[in-house]
Amino acid sequence: MSGDNVVLARNTEEAPQSDRHAQTVAFSHYNNISAQLPIDPETGELVEGGIFEQAEQCFENLEAIVESIDHSLNDVARITVFVRDIRDLVAVDEVYRAFFTTYVPARTVMAVAALPMDALVQVEALLTNGEGTIPNEPQAGDLVKYVNNTHNAPYDALSSQTVAFSHYNNVTAQLPIDPVSNQIVVGGVAEQAAQCLKNIKAILTSIDVPFDDIVKVTVFLKNLSDLDAVNDVYTRFFPDSGIARAVAYVPARTVVEVAELPMHALVQIEAVVSHGDGTPPQEVEARHGLIIEANDTDAAPTSPLSTQSVAFSHYNNISAQLGVDAASGKLVAGGVAEQAEQACKNIKAIIENVDHTMDDAVKLNVYLKNIDDLAAVEDVCARYFTGAPAFRAVGTAALPMDALVQIDAIFGNAEGTPPVK
């Protein structure tokens, strides 16, 4: 691989456009697709009709973007579906089946408090990019996608448990389902959180990947007040090995309150996992022994439960940032604009600490206490992220520390991470 990897942002008139966010941002072997709302690209308005029509438009927009860069929906590694009403998933799944007829990617599904434009549904995707983004140099366009399932974790006909491509494994968000009974485990949020993590561990064990190869975790909670109980469980699973404990390694992390989860679950956990061996036909000398590089800086808020920046291969995964001043440990004074500015400053401090710039951003995820604050937050982000990264925004009823906004990000890592010496 080369240090000349470039961030490649692209748009098509066949899908809704924004002057601040690219529809797709490719870096190395992945395309990051902005979350798609049910907007008719010709009118710029939500399509008429209910949840079925809106879901169909979301997937049509997604397909138009994917096809505009000479890919297909078969190249989707992960799909994420946000609905306003969990009961609408029945209709969304009907549409989903029509677009994914043979292969199903890893998947995350939840109901959230609000979506932009008061939409009923929003869909985003992570797409494989076999050709890579090294200028003037063809890469392994015949990289293969590894799809795996195990009976030791819950099976779902609408998702693959893990989809590996190049140097990453994308794991379907795990609900607290006992794979034997296929029911939610007995108990409260602690028991449910433990089952989610057990399911992730079973999936990784089935593909011979250690639990400590997880680089990013997202915890979706029905009630943010349950976070302390989840954290108690979390510390029993991370760090997992003696090596990880020796360096106190924990993945990057984001915590989000949701309106509802499938099967009335209290918690759902999603993981992004490094894949040091890569997927064939990457050359052995180019793919073995890559290491995880985890970094913190005192210039941004630190936490014993998450690492600020976790790089692996050609991506940096950044923990969610609130509008917290690193010196005081408290939210900055002011409203949503001031908090968004501080969150962006924190991300800037984190990424500059590892010798990168904000122009290396490929994806932003924004969580808002009030979705009406989106325009103000976008104004702030536009001053910090000038490269028009892919974008997702959702509304949530509550955020940690009663914050008004939370932002996490994914950055390109052109130099990659070194093999073990």
Side-chain angles (χ1 to χ4, degrees):
M1 303 297 284
S2 165
D4 293 328
N5 264 337
V6 295
V7 175
L8 180 59
R10 289 172 285 186
N11 295 282
T12 173
E13 294 180 354
E14 301 302 313
Q17 296 190 56
S18 165
D19 59 356
R20 290 181 169 174
H21 318 297
Q23 292 166 348
T24 173
V25 180
F27 188 81
S28 190
H29 287 139
Y30 279 95
N31 280 289
N32 300 268
I33 312 292
S34 285
Q36 293 302 299
L37 290 163
I39 297 172
D40 181 336
E42 293 187 1
T43 67
E45 303 293 336
L46 293 181
V47 294
E48 295 183 357
I51 184 62
F52 186 92
E53 290 79 11
Q54 288 200 16
E56 193 168 47
Q57 186 66 54
C58 289
F59 283 104
E60 286 177 358
N61 291 342
L62 175 61
E63 187 171 48
I65 294 167
V66 168
E67 291 181 349
S68 76
I69 56 174
D70 299 322
H71 282 262
S72 73
L73 290 181
N74 195 54
D75 294 326
V76 172
R78 180 193 296 280
I79 203 95
T80 306
V81 178
F82 303 94
V83 292
R84 290 273 306 283
D85 188 336
I86 201 73
R87 293 170 296 183
D88 284 342
L89 277 179
V90 175
V92 173
D93 286 346
E94 183 180 349
V95 175
Y96 179 82
R97 291 185 185 95
F99 283 85
F100 293 91
T101 56
T102 54
Y103 154 77
V104 286
R107 194 168 86 141
T108 300
V109 176
M110 74 208 74
V112 293
L115 290 169
M117 298 180 69
D118 204 27
L120 301 177
V121 59
Q122 177 176 254
V123 179
E124 74 170 28
L126 178 66
L127 191 73
T128 62
N129 188 46
E131 64 271 25
T133 55
I134 293 179
N136 305 316
E137 182 180 339
Q139 293 195 27
D142 52 353
L143 283 175
V144 298
K145 192 168 72 249
Y146 275 177
V147 178
N148 285 284
N149 293 285
T150 173
H151 293 298
N152 294 324
Y155 174 78
D156 178 9
L158 296 179
S159 65
S160 298
Q161 289 172 350
T162 177
V163 178
F165 188 81
S166 187
H167 288 134
Y168 275 87
N169 278 292
N170 301 277
V171 178
T172 284
Q174 292 301 299
L175 290 163
I177 297 172
D178 178 346
V180 176
S181 68
N182 209 35
Q183 299 296 316
I184 298 287
V185 294
V186 175
V189 71
E191 290 78 10
Q192 290 195 19
Q195 187 63 51
C196 292
L197 292 167
K198 287 177 184 176
N199 290 342
I200 292 171
K201 196 166 191 176
I203 292 167
L204 297 184
T205 299
S206 74
I207 56 173
D208 297 321
V209 173
F211 199 69
D212 282 321
D213 279 0
I214 295 173
V215 296
K216 174 70 187 292
V217 169
T218 304
V219 179
F220 299 101
L221 276 172
K222 179 72 169 60
N223 294 298
L224 196 59
S225 59
D226 285 336
L227 182 55
D228 286 345
V230 171
N231 285 342
D232 286 342
V233 174
Y234 198 80
T235 56
R236 301 205 306 265
F237 284 81
F238 295 102
D240 184 62
S241 67
I243 294 174
R245 285 191 290 273
V247 296
Y249 171 70
V250 285
R253 193 172 82 148
T254 296
V255 176
V256 182
E257 181 177 284
V258 297
E260 192 68 60
L261 291 167
M263 298 180 70
H264 304 292
L266 300 176
V267 61
Q268 175 177 257
I269 300 178
E270 175 186 278
V272 178
V273 187
S274 62
H275 185 52
D277 289 342
T279 53
Q282 291 178 338
E283 296 177 357
V284 171
E285 60 268 25
R287 64 188 174 94
H288 278 294
L290 294 179
I291 63 171
I292 290 172
E293 291 186 332
N295 285 283
D296 284 327
T297 173
D298 291 336
T302 59
S303 167
L305 296 173
S306 64
T307 301
Q308 292 168 349
S309 169
V310 180
F312 185 80
S313 187
H314 291 119
Y315 276 92
N316 263 300
N317 302 270
I318 309 299
S319 286
Q321 296 299 306
L322 299 166
V324 173
D325 174 73
S328 68
K330 297 179 180 180
L331 289 174
V332 294
V336 70
E338 289 78 11
Q339 289 191 23
E341 179 119 16
Q342 185 63 49
C344 289
K345 286 180 180 177
N346 292 341
I347 292 172
K348 187 172 187 286
I350 290 166
I351 204 63
E352 289 181 350
N353 178 58
V354 292
D355 298 323
H356 280 265
T357 72
M358 298 293 267
D359 286 341
D360 293 325
V362 296
K363 177 74 187 300
L364 286 185
N365 299 315
V366 173
Y367 304 94
L368 287 162
K369 182 84 176 292
N370 185 344
I371 200 68
D372 293 337
D373 288 336
L374 179 56
V377 172
E378 286 187 297
D379 286 344
V380 174
C381 288
R383 299 202 307 271
Y384 283 86
F385 299 92
T386 57
F391 189 80
R392 167 214 290 179
V394 298
T396 177
L399 288 168
M401 298 181 67
D402 201 27
L404 300 177
V405 61
Q406 175 176 261
I407 305 173
D408 72 20
I410 303 170
F411 282 77
N413 188 47
E415 67 274 22
T417 53
V420 177
K421 300 295 184 182

